[in-house]
Structure formats: C-alpha cells, structure tokens
Amino acid sequence: MAQDRVEAVERALTVLEAFDAECPAMSLADLAQATGFYKSTLLRLLGSLARFDYVRRGADGLWQLGDSPRRLARRQNPGRLLAIRIQPLLDEMAENLGETASLLEQTGTLVECRLVALPATSLRHDLHPGMSWPLGMAGSPCLVFAGGIMAAKPLIDTPLQPRQWLALSGPEGRLDPTAASRALADANRRLGDDTWQLGDEVIS
C-alpha cells in the first residue's frame, strides 16, 4: 500500500541492491546507470549510507559496501535460517513422494537428523530430529534399517558449516531411487544458491 512506503528508504535500498559479486565497486556514473537516479540524488543517499557504514568510498573514488551489511548478517542465527530455507522443501517432498524427507548433518563420526518431514501414512520411516547413527562406509550418511532404504545427496561444504545432506527414506520396494534422486536434485535447484548445490548421489 502507498501509505506503507517510505520513498527515501526504498531509494537507499535500491542503491545497496546495485552492488553484487560482479560489481563490488562502482563509480557514481555506474550507480546512476544501475539505479536510474540523478547523481545529485545519489550523492545525498550515499552520504547518509556512508555515515552508518553501509557504503564507503575508496581512495580510487569508487563506492563499495561498508561493514554494516556484513555485521547485520552475522546477527542471524544460522540454524534458524536453515530451517526457514529447507523445511518447506522437505515438507513438499514428503507430501508429493509419500516418503520421509530429512536434512542430515555429520557430527564427528556420527550422522544426526537435523530437520525432518514425515509423510501422511502409517507405513513410513519414522525419523526424528536428534536421532543419530554412525557414519557409514566411504562416508555415506545413509542409515541402514530393516526393510527400508535411504537416498541422500550432500550439500557442498562451506567453512561456516559441517557436512550436510538432503535425504529421502522409506520402505524398500516403494521408495524409487530414481525418483528420489530427481526430487533431491530439484530441491537443490529451488534453493537457488550455489552454497546449497548438491553433489553426487549416495544410495544405501
């Protein structure tokens, strides 16, 4: 709604959005082209943003992001962000495939279930957050259980997190490994961030 908008704030955010990995430093002319704002308007916006260290001007005259965006990002709880980002995908996989969908994490020599979505059927793999089991042969996170099968794909490691996997599990003979692989790959694409891209499939 129009009354909920503050034009100056939206303009300042538009300036911040202009900076990305391909354009980490920009001249005033570059920013004017990227935002569509007059240079005089940009100078006022940049001055306010610079006072709070959201942007800074280098010795070469180019503008770049300051420390404040990173400082705010560090205040976020990684576990909470993980749940917000991945839980809806697990819920959707469990509903569409009728199998248990989970996020697994390596803790030392153990694999722990971090997040899970259970299908609406009594015949299922009853996995719960906090359950753990030994890491398998060749580093496989897949749990071996009677009458069941688990398929998993690893999330690419980053310095900020331990090794993690997306997994689907259910009764052997009902869980289709090919369909599971497609669903896990699709979940990866929908995460929309290279940080969460999946590697090779692990079937156990």
Side-chain angles (χ1 to χ4, degrees), residues 12-202:
L13 292 173
T14 300
V15 173
L16 294 177
E17 289 287 344
F19 296 96
D20 57 29
E22 295 183 359
C23 299
M26 304 176 73
S27 67
L28 189 63
D30 292 334
L31 284 168
Q33 183 174 3
T35 63
F37 298 154
Y38 292 115
K39 291 181 181 179
S40 56
T41 300
L42 276 171
L43 284 173
R44 291 195 299 272
L45 293 169
L46 290 167
S48 293
L49 290 169
R51 277 192 288 276
F52 288 86
D53 200 23
Y54 281 89
V55 297
R56 61 180 54 163
R57 192 176 187 181
D60 55 4
L62 298 181
W63 292 91
Q64 59 187 15
L65 291 177
D67 287 333
S68 287
R70 287 184 289 270
R71 175 174 51 80
L72 291 177
R74 288 194 295 268
R75 293 181 181 179
Q76 293 288 343
N77 184 315
R80 180 174 178 273
L81 290 178
L82 185 69
I84 291 173
R85 186 165 195 172
I86 293 182
Q87 187 65 54
L89 291 176
L90 299 181
D91 293 340
E92 186 173 318
M93 284 193 290
E95 180 179 358
N96 291 343
L97 296 177
E99 306 294 357
T100 298
S102 58
L103 174 71
L104 312 178
E105 180 175 292
Q106 182 176 350
T107 56
T109 60
L110 296 177
V111 177
E112 181 179 342
C113 175
R114 288 284 308 279
L115 300 172
V116 69
L118 298 175
T121 175
S122 58
L123 183 59
R124 66 191 185 193
H125 181 206
D126 281 320
L127 191 61
H128 301 285
M131 291 179 61
S132 63
W133 54 90
L135 196 65
M137 295 288 292
S140 170
C142 293
L143 175 65
V144 178
F145 57 105
I149 186 172
M150 177 178 280
K153 284 182 177 288
L155 300 174
I156 288 179
D157 294 335
T158 74
L160 300 179
Q161 65 183 39
R163 195 176 186 201
Q164 297 172 317
W165 298 262
L166 290 180
L168 285 165
S169 54
E172 189 173 8
R174 190 182 74 186
L175 176 62
D176 181 355
T178 300
S181 178
R182 285 198 301 266
L184 293 170
D186 181 63
N188 169 50
R189 286 191 295 271
R190 292 176 60 189
L191 286 171
D193 187 327
D194 291 341
T195 301
W196 300 99
Q197 283 186 5
L198 301 178
D200 296 332
E201 179 179 14
V202 179

